[in-house]
Amino acid sequence: MNETLVTVVGNVATEPEMHTTAAGVGVTRFRLATTARRWDAARGAWADGPTSFYTVRAWRTLAGHVKESVGIGEPLVVQGRLKIREEERDGRRYTDAEIEAVAVGHDLARGVARFSRTLPPPVARPEPVAPPPDAPAPVPLPVA
């Protein structure tokens, strides 16, 4: 599929909330704020531009990792599929930018982080079944 991925750097604006769908799939949602900064030569200082907000959704394993690792105000780098939705409510038009996250990480240009790899869930193995006491002994195969 020819999907375009975007990368957005910003700060977490809302507490990540995790839910489970009716199908049992985990999804975590939060808002990411990003503000462009420009050098204002007239003032001789940095100036903030307008702030853009994105709704970020992370699914499955990433959803749980985001919920456990991310808090309000933390600087993040989010990569994912951008979806723009337009709707009308109460006679007003709204535009919502949503990112379906593929990767989420802390922005190490603004701080440090420690990574902890998670182990995959153990594979369920069937318990060995003992043969009944009256079963014949196995016959060894001839060795060539």
Side-chain angles (χ1 to χ4, degrees):
M1 198 182 290
N2 292 330
E3 294 180 329
T4 301
L5 296 178
V6 297
T7 302
V8 179
V9 178
N11 292 313
V12 179
T14 61
E15 189 66 38
E17 297 176 358
M18 185 168 184
H19 303 284
T20 303
T21 67
V25 177
V27 59
T28 296
R29 176 194 178 280
F30 66 93
R31 301 275 286 162
L32 186 74
T34 181
T35 304
R37 291 185 58 107
R38 304 278 186 256
W39 179 256
D40 184 345
R43 289 183 27 218
W46 289 96
D48 287 341
T51 301
S52 297
F53 289 90
Y54 299 89
T55 299
V56 179
R57 291 188 196 277
W59 294 84
R60 298 174 185 76
T61 304
L62 181 57
H65 292 173
V66 167
K67 178 62 180 160
E68 290 297 316
S69 304
V70 172
I72 292 178
E74 294 180 3
L76 294 183
V77 179
V78 176
Q79 184 179 45
R81 291 177 281 283
L82 178 65
K83 297 177 182 182
I84 304 296
R85 290 189 174 78
E86 294 183 13
E87 63 181 77
E88 190 172 317
R89 285 179 281 175
D90 302 325
R92 296 182 62 191
R93 276 191 87 79
Y94 291 91
T95 302
D96 183 43
E98 182 175 308
I99 300 172
E100 185 178 324
V102 172
V104 176
H106 285 99
D107 182 357
L108 299 182
R110 297 190 274 164
V112 297
R114 299 287 176 253
F115 180 77
S116 298
R117 185 173 302 277
T118 57
L119 298 175
V123 177
R125 297 181 183 202
E127 293 290 325
V129 178
D134 58 347
V139 177
L141 297 173
V143 179

